[in-house]
Amino acid sequence: MNAIEKLEKLLDREQFEKIKALNNPELHEFLAEWIEWLEPDKVFVCTDSPEDEAYVKWKALYYGEEKMLETPNHTVHYDNYYDQARDKANTKLLVPGGKAIPFLNTKDRDEGLREIRELMKGVMKGKELFVCFFVLGPRNSVFTIPAVQLTDSAYVAHSEFILYRKGYEEFKRLGRNARFFRFVHSEGELDDRKTSKNLDKRRIYIDLLDETVYSVNTQYGGNTIGLKKLAFRLTIQRAVREGWLSEHMFLMRVNGPDGRKTYFTGAYPSMCGKTSTAMISWENIVGDDLSFIVPVNGVARGANVEKGVFGIIQGVNPEDDPIIWEILHSPVEIIFSNVLVKDGKPYWNEMGVPIPDEGENHSGKWWRGKKDAEGNEIPPSHKNARFTVSLEHFPNVDMEALENPCGVEVGGMIFGGRDKDTWPPVREAFNWRHGIVTMGAALESETTAATLGKEGVRAFNPMAILDFMSVPLGEYLRNYLDFEKKLRKAPKIFAVNYFLRDENGNWLNHKLDKGVWLKWMELRVHGDVGAIETPIGYIPKYADLARLFEEVLDKEYTREEYEKQFTIRVPELLAKIERIETIYREKVGEVPEELFQVLEDERKRLLEARERYGDYISPFALEGE
Ligand SMILES: Nc1nc2c(ncn2[C@@H]2O[C@H](COP(=O)(O)OP(=O)(O)O)[C@@H](O)[C@H]2O)c(=O)[nH]1
Ligand SMILES: C=C(OP(=O)(O)O)C(=O)O
Ligand SMILES: [Mn+2]
């Protein structure tokens, strides 16, 4: 029996017709094999019709994976108490022979496939399987990658309808030419709260050879939403092979003087400010998490891979995040996950308004003071609780940029992480190489609640992408360094640090200060302001920041604040170079030689500056030159 005959037997007439209309034998083969293997009771195939999307939404409620909230179109979903973040340990890249690659979690492909197939055999008995088609990037463009998702979670399928562009018609158009990604997900057995039960058998296996990702016994979006962090491993591999960039970056428009529009991408690790930055209310959002950057006629052009936001809700408050706040309180389609619910209303930590003392949350029935099995007090919402919403509802979305099949010209690229004591709030690289090496490849950040495990540990995280890296780091960096050669004018590279602290652990900056750094970077892209040359790049002059603080935030910015924040911390910077160099020399292997040269040059500049000015160098001392 060939694949299409098999499918005719496995699917009811209506569903079968939808599949038959897609002229792609490879797709048919894949579907026949997996539907047979997963043994669902029922299969639903989603086309791009609003009815099919509505069906999935209704099924998420019907099967109890989501519950309605008071506001129309709002629902809440819970993940298991121990399934609240990405599971790095059980996320593995399947490579032939299980070849060890530094910093990557690999596993022998045959063994991995055997294991995951075993875990998935008949896993959908008694369940409904949803077959969904989406695309990454704008449709019918240089960025487009079609993808098919198989899942028994209507919540996962629903999330994808919010986050991705529909792709059934694109599959139809492309026919057998579709080079598509595949995602197979099962939440596995559920408990009475409809959360995944067999967490000890939670696995996320990425088959780089077949561009297929398998995910089982988990529901948390970062582990399950195929087109998000799972596809990301596959797009990085494609990008490095094909000479473009697939990055963990937001994409936003910063509005310059006289209506000038400048687009920036920014790479920060999970929970380090991508969404908050892209959502600055007076600028315009294009994307908040994943960007493709492709060289087109010598110009770096960027596009959002997605069309929605799976954002962290903790800390969203009416003062700092007026737009998200407004959206979260309007009747547009939103999935809240792992928040506190009381009388049909969602609540979350640090929301700036009083929170009830009891209700339901990710731990089940909750009351203030409730402790978990480990004796830890359970907060109202999980730190990694999220909202899922489509960008079309954002008053500040740049729709033209989001939908443009040619993407937008990238003027600047920003790198940043959680760093309490080393980098200044903002600086500009001397050139592409300097930025890619000392800001991107040298990025370190403290671990957060976006992944399971200990928080607050400083960790090497080049380009904020290490969790998703799928090729040897050296190859990835080679591609990055070479990218410049494909461009007539490379984007400027910047680094930011929103997380500096003083001796007592207090933040040195307010959450909205980033709005000022963005305006400064916009001016720098066009050469509109001067800067102070330091051993680690260009930093802003006090006078320019004082003026921008006034204009942007209507705030006074004192010389003392500036000096404290922009002091060049030579011992910390030297120690960092030491750490980074050691990692690349001793642990990574096959690193482009120029990386060491660039680090060495930076070290020399720092040592010379220390000779003249001492360990902690005031920016005013350098400006005087
Ligand atoms: N202290 C401080 N916290 C911030 C700042 N920006 C964002 N955050 C917090 O960092 C967390 C994650 O931010 P988010 O933008 O969602 O990160 P993403 O995962 O990179 O998109 C949230 O809890 C924010 O409240 C900032 O400038 N300063
Ligand atoms: C979905 C995620 O993205 P981020 O925290 O980068 O927004 C994640 O890391 O699980
Ligand atoms: Mn985010």
Side-chain angles (χ1 to χ4, degrees):
M1 213 181 338
N2 68 21
I4 201 80
E5 288 163 357
K6 245 192 216 168
L7 285 166
E8 191 162 15
K9 281 188 67 182
L10 289 164
L11 306 180
D12 71 35
R13 191 85 233 149
E14 197 186 338
Q15 307 309 317
F16 174 68
E17 289 300 331
K18 295 181 193 174
I19 292 297
K20 210 179 111 192
L22 305 176
N23 175 24
N24 189 326
E26 204 186 328
L27 173 72
H28 294 159
E29 200 102 6
F30 166 73
L31 291 176
E33 179 186 352
W34 278 95
I35 295 172
E36 196 170 44
W37 189 259
L38 298 163
E39 300 178 51
D41 269 19
K42 202 172 162 179
V43 180
F44 184 80
V45 178
C46 300
T47 68
D48 296 349
S49 77
E51 294 78 27
D52 287 1
E53 183 180 349
Y55 177 88
V56 167
K57 275 188 241 177
W58 167 64
K59 281 295 168 114
L61 293 168
Y62 177 86
Y63 291 127
E65 275 187 272
E66 291 175 35
K67 288 199 190 90
M68 273 200 259
L69 293 172
E70 182 185 73
T71 304
N73 302 310
H74 288 194
T75 58
V76 61
H77 162 81
Y78 290 110
D79 299 305
N80 187 302
Y81 187 73
Y82 298 98
D83 189 28
Q84 297 283 323
R86 279 187 285 107
D87 180 359
K88 282 172 58 167
N90 286 304
T91 302
K92 297 187 181 168
L93 298 163
L94 303 184
V95 294
K99 188 170 151 232
I101 307 174
F103 290 98
L104 275 53
N105 197 1
T106 59
K107 185 175 177 77
D108 175 62
R109 181 168 181 268
D110 294 336
E111 213 176 285
L113 287 176
R114 209 176 307 127
E115 183 190 352
I116 201 92
R117 288 181 74 94
E118 206 46 54
L119 287 171
M120 289 186 135
K121 170 83 187 140
V123 75
M124 294 190 188
K125 274 183 199 150
K127 290 202 181 179
E128 178 164 6
L129 164 64
F130 301 91
V131 179
C132 308
F133 301 92
F134 299 100
V135 297
L136 296 172
R139 261 173 277 200
N140 199 4
S141 75
V142 285
F143 304 102
T144 315
I145 300 178
V148 57
Q149 169 85 58
L150 272 53
T151 180
D152 56 7
S153 166
Y155 156 71
V156 168
H158 180 195
S159 301
E160 290 180 330
F161 273 108
I162 296 174
L163 296 171
Y164 302 98
R165 297 156 175 112
K166 292 175 183 176
Y168 179 81
E169 291 301 323
E170 191 76 357
F171 266 86
K172 209 185 241 176
R173 189 178 72 77
L174 290 167
R176 54 184 70 223
N177 295 325
R179 279 176 67 213
F180 61 98
F181 289 165
R182 303 143 219 239
F183 305 102
V184 186
H185 166 250
S186 172
E187 55 196 9
E189 216 181 312
L190 301 183
D191 58 19
D192 48 13
R193 300 188 67 225
K194 306 293 174 196
T195 72
S196 294
K197 199 166 153 181
N198 300 322
L199 299 181
D200 58 320
K201 298 195 186 76
R202 175 172 53 203
R203 299 288 182 276
I204 300 104
Y205 284 179
I206 298 136
D207 182 2
L208 292 168
L209 221 60
D210 263 356
E211 297 193 315
T212 305
V213 185
Y214 307 91
S215 160
V216 67
N217 294 314
T218 171
Q219 284 163 308
Y220 169 66
N223 294 326
T224 59
I225 299 173
L227 283 89
K228 203 172 186 59
K229 295 309 205 300
L230 308 189
F232 192 23
R233 278 67 170 214
L234 305 179
T235 57
I236 292 170
Q237 175 180 252
R238 272 204 194 179
V240 169
R241 282 186 187 160
E242 298 172 1
W244 48 281
L245 305 176
S246 167
E247 297 300 311
H248 195 200
M249 286 175 166
F250 67 71
L251 177 58
M252 73 183 294
R253 181 174 108 203
V254 179
N255 298 298
D258 303 318
R260 183 170 65 201
K261 303 173 181 182
T262 309
Y263 292 90
F264 283 85
T265 62
Y268 321 152
S270 298
M271 246 186 197
C272 297
K274 289 184 301 301
T275 308
S276 324
T277 305
M279 276 307 301
I280 294 267
S281 58
W282 52 86
E283 312 292 3
N284 298 86
I285 185 169
V286 186
D288 82 317
D289 194 36
L290 298 167
S291 295
F292 289 158
I293 306 171
V294 173
V296 182
N297 300 327
V299 176
R301 301 201 65 96
N304 183 3
V305 174
E306 316 177 276
K307 66 142 185 103
V309 173
F310 178 55
I312 293 165
I313 202 162
Q314 170 163 318
V316 170
N317 69 76
E319 274 72 48
D320 298 330
D321 316 275
I323 295 187
I324 298 191
W325 182 266
E326 194 55 42
I327 294 167
L328 295 181
H329 290 85
S330 69
V332 301
E333 186 180 359
I334 301 172
I335 308 173
F336 293 84
S337 53
N338 305 313
V339 295
L340 173 67
V341 174
K342 167 87 174 155
D343 298 330
K345 289 194 185 67
Y347 298 89
W348 52 90
N349 307 339
E350 297 159 32
M351 70 190 290
V353 303
I355 295 179
D357 290 325
E358 47 151 56
E360 186 182 356
N361 76 358
H362 56 294
S363 73
K365 188 175 155 44
W366 176 84
W367 57 92
R368 205 170 283 282
K370 181 177 178 187
K371 296 215 164 91
D372 66 14
E374 290 75 37
N376 302 312
E377 184 164 336
I378 303 170
S381 64
H382 191 272
K383 278 187 180 177
N384 196 28
R386 300 214 175 211
F387 58 90
T388 307
V389 62
S390 178
L391 276 166
E392 68 188 297
H393 303 305
F394 287 48
N396 62 331
V397 65
D398 184 338
M399 246 328 159
E400 208 179 306
L402 181 63
E403 293 304 330
N404 194 339
C406 302
V408 292
E409 175 168 352
V410 178
M413 294 169 61
I414 311 169
F415 295 99
R418 283 186 185 252
D419 161 12
K420 62 179 190 304
D421 60 9
T422 308
W423 283 1
V426 62
R427 73 190 197 278
E428 177 191 327
F430 295 124
N431 52 49
W432 179 265
R433 250 167 61 130
H434 178 244
I436 295 312
V437 172
T438 68
M439 299 173 180
L443 195 69
E444 295 174 295
S445 192
E446 289 156 26
T447 52
T448 69
T451 54
L452 301 174
K454 201 164 147 47
E455 283 173 53
V457 182
R458 178 159 52 201
F460 172 64
N461 196 346
M463 276 79 174
I465 211 172
L466 195 60
D467 285 0
F468 316 102
M469 188 50 64
S470 56
V471 300
L473 258 178
E475 279 175 39
Y476 170 82
L477 293 175
R478 177 81 271 150
N479 180 53
Y480 234 117
L481 289 165
D482 289 349
F483 191 71
E484 185 192 19
K485 298 177 194 149
K486 300 171 183 147
L487 307 174
R488 273 181 277 122
K489 183 169 144 245
K492 283 210 176 193
I493 307 292
F494 299 91
V496 294
N497 181 12
Y498 305 156
F499 299 94
L500 271 176
R501 293 177 193 256
D502 66 14
E503 318 73 61
N504 305 318
N506 302 312
W507 302 117
L508 283 189
N509 289 100
H510 184 265
K511 256 169 106 175
L512 287 180
D513 292 359
K514 52 169 83 66
V516 171
W517 318 144
L518 286 171
K519 289 291 195 214
W520 181 79
M521 290 187 267
E522 201 279 339
L523 296 171
R524 285 297 294 172
V525 166
H526 302 281
D528 286 356
V529 278
I532 302 170
E533 186 171 337
T534 80
I536 57 170
Y538 302 107
I539 61 170
K541 294 182 178 173
Y542 170 68
D544 292 321
L545 288 185
R547 178 175 59 82
L548 287 172
F549 263 91
E550 173 80 47
E551 281 174 22
V552 178
L553 300 175
D554 196 18
K555 251 172 122 170
E556 193 197 349
Y557 185 58
T558 65
R559 289 172 67 91
E560 292 68 40
E561 287 173 283
Y562 169 75
E563 191 167 35
K564 211 166 182 179
Q565 294 165 14
F566 285 90
T567 287
I568 304 299
R569 300 167 180 82
V570 178
E572 284 83 358
L573 286 160
L574 284 172
K576 180 186 172 70
I577 292 178
E578 210 59 52
R579 285 195 299 275
I580 295 300
E581 198 186 357
T582 307
I583 290 175
Y584 280 107
R585 273 222 194 281
E586 294 175 10
K587 298 201 177 143
V588 177
E590 308 209 32
V591 176
E593 199 46 44
E594 63 242 65
L595 178 136
F596 298 108
Q597 190 57 51
V598 172
L599 289 177
E600 188 49 37
D601 293 347
E602 183 120 316
R603 176 188 284 123
K604 277 204 197 113
R605 284 191 300 270
L606 282 164
L607 290 171
E608 276 167 30
R610 185 169 68 180
E611 281 295 295
R612 285 191 62 182
Y613 302 101
D615 276 346
Y616 295 91
I617 309 174
S618 163
F620 291 116
L622 294 169
E623 187 175 14
E625 306 243 313

